[in-house]
Amino acid sequence: FPAPAFVAERLATYAIYLGVSVPALLAMQFFKIAVYDRPDRPLHALIRSALSIFTSGRCIAGFSLIAITNSFFFSFLVMKRAIPWFNPFSWDATFDQWDRFIHLGFRPWEVLQPVIGYGVISKFIDFNYYLWAITLCMYFLHFAFFEPSNQLRNRGILAYMLVWTMGGTLLATVFSSAGPCYFGYLGLGYDPYVGLMQYLHSIERAYSLITPEGQLWLWQSNLNQQANIVVKGISAMPSMHNAQVFLLVLAVWNKGLLIRSLAVAHCFLIFIGSVHLGWHYAVDGYFGFAIAAVCWLAADRLAHMWENRWGMSGRTVEA
């Protein structure tokens, strides 16, 4: 990729992430104060809490982590859009067969369609699917700025990076696949997902769906290989949407019933949406869950090793 475009994209994405992070931090603090703390003077508590983010030692650590992981995630996006160059899409027919085998001869979208194949429901699922970007941001910001335990913070960040490295890059390259929405473009001679895609396109305008146009744009930009477009890589297996939301569930399991319930509901809807919207085969989601679980366990071991090496076990950092 041209070096000037590469540097410009990196700086632009970092600036955008910084711009999103500050209001996101304030929103997270407001939620915590309103739902859990419930002080007598909520506005005063919010201002004091917001100022603490930028006046404590956590400020430097948090924004340093944003810079590091932003560079890491940008590199992941570059690698993702290069996957078809290393290994052209070749696993879609296999994953389609696996889906049918696991689900007793049925494709999961065929099972879901009579139940949720209504415009209003599809719109809700479509909307929730793109909330994923916000929950991804919230996951990282929590560990960067709010998690008081060094060991848990290290575990959360390490798991995040392991999931994207092992699942989103290594396994995605080995099991290169495009996904159900692009099945008909792969020259396989048949398309078992044409009915699903026809349904989505039929309700696209009436319900303002994001997915159909986004899928078309992604495929065209992938074919054009424009150097000034970052978010254009195509990779179905494993599903990083499902891997990351399951990682979120694991990370908040000890954070209280409300947060845990919201995370589980979001995870369930993301999985349903990944199939119903044609982005993924169901097996993509199953593998994503497994990868997140393995990375969460591995990150725990790595975090313990790190803490023991530097003699930091048991220490906490005040937000």
Side-chain angles (χ1 to χ4, degrees):
F1 305 105
F6 184 86
V7 174
E9 286 178 346
R10 181 170 298 219
L11 292 174
T13 54
Y14 184 50
I16 292 171
Y17 195 47
L18 280 178
V20 171
S21 296
V22 173
L25 284 169
L26 296 178
M28 292 169 69
Q29 286 290 72
F30 175 78
F31 178 84
K32 176 178 179 294
I33 290 170
V35 176
Y36 291 104
D37 298 342
R38 298 181 181 180
D40 295 331
R41 301 172 63 188
L43 181 59
H44 176 75
L46 177 62
I47 294 173
R48 185 176 58 185
S49 178
L51 290 175
S52 71
I53 296 174
F54 302 100
T55 57
S56 67
R58 199 60 175 273
C59 176
I60 297 175
F63 283 104
S64 295
L65 276 173
I66 288 178
I68 293 168
T69 53
N70 178 265
S71 180
F72 164 82
F73 195 69
F74 187 93
S75 300
F76 159 76
L77 292 175
V78 172
M79 289 299 298
K80 181 179 179 180
R81 67 181 182 180
I83 286 175
W85 301 351
F86 294 114
N87 186 15
F89 302 130
S90 57
W91 281 84
D92 285 84
T94 301
F95 295 144
D96 176 60
Q97 293 173 4
W98 288 7
D99 258 6
R100 293 187 64 191
F101 177 77
I102 293 173
H103 300 95
L104 305 177
F106 296 96
R107 292 181 175 88
W109 80 266
E110 297 171 335
V111 177
L112 290 174
Q113 191 63 18
V115 181
I116 62 175
Y118 301 92
V120 175
I121 299 177
S122 297
K123 173 59 180 178
F124 176 73
I125 292 174
D126 182 70
F127 174 76
N128 178 79
Y129 199 74
Y130 297 96
L131 286 179
W132 173 86
I134 297 176
T135 57
L136 177 66
C137 181
M138 292 173 65
Y139 171 93
F140 177 74
L141 291 176
H142 168 76
F143 286 107
F145 289 95
F146 300 128
E147 177 57 57
S149 167
N150 278 321
Q151 194 274 330
L152 288 177
R153 185 173 65 258
N154 289 341
R155 183 183 190 181
I157 298 299
L158 284 169
Y160 171 92
M161 301 181 82
L162 281 173
V163 163
W164 290 104
T165 302
M166 302 303 296
T169 302
L170 179 61
L171 293 179
T173 302
V174 174
F175 300 107
S176 180
S177 56
C181 57
Y182 304 123
F183 201 98
Y185 300 158
L186 302 178
L188 298 174
Y190 67 106
D191 184 2
Y193 299 93
V194 64
L196 174 61
M197 303 317 297
Q198 287 176 346
Y199 162 76
L200 293 174
H201 284 287
S202 70
I203 66 168
E204 177 183 4
R205 288 190 177 182
Y207 294 93
S208 302
L209 296 188
I210 301 172
T211 295
E213 185 176 350
Q215 290 171 342
L216 180 60
W217 173 85
L218 195 61
W219 183 259
Q220 290 177 340
S221 62
N222 185 69
L223 293 178
N224 295 335
Q225 288 299 324
Q226 297 167 256
N228 63 335
I229 298 179
V230 178
V231 188
K232 68 172 183 177
I234 293 176
S235 175
M237 168 65 80
S239 169
M240 288 295 96
H241 270 72
N242 284 292
Q244 189 60 49
V245 291
F246 189 63
L247 190 62
L248 176 66
V249 170
L250 295 174
V252 304
W253 200 253
N254 65 339
K255 301 299 182 184
L257 179 61
L258 176 61
I259 297 296
R260 184 164 64 244
S261 299
L262 289 172
V264 170
H266 182 57
C267 181
F268 174 76
L269 289 172
I270 287 291
F271 174 72
I272 296 298
S274 68
V275 174
H276 179 61
L277 299 174
W279 285 113
H280 291 284
Y281 309 98
V283 291
D284 298 343
Y286 302 151
F287 272 82
F289 295 153
I291 289 164
V294 170
C295 290
W296 183 247
L297 294 174
D300 184 46
R301 178 63 177 168
L302 291 171
H304 275 298
M305 291 171 60
W306 178 269
E307 296 297 305
N308 292 334
R309 178 176 180 178
W310 296 100
M312 297 172 65
S313 297
R315 287 182 54 189
T316 61
V317 176
E318 295 296 332

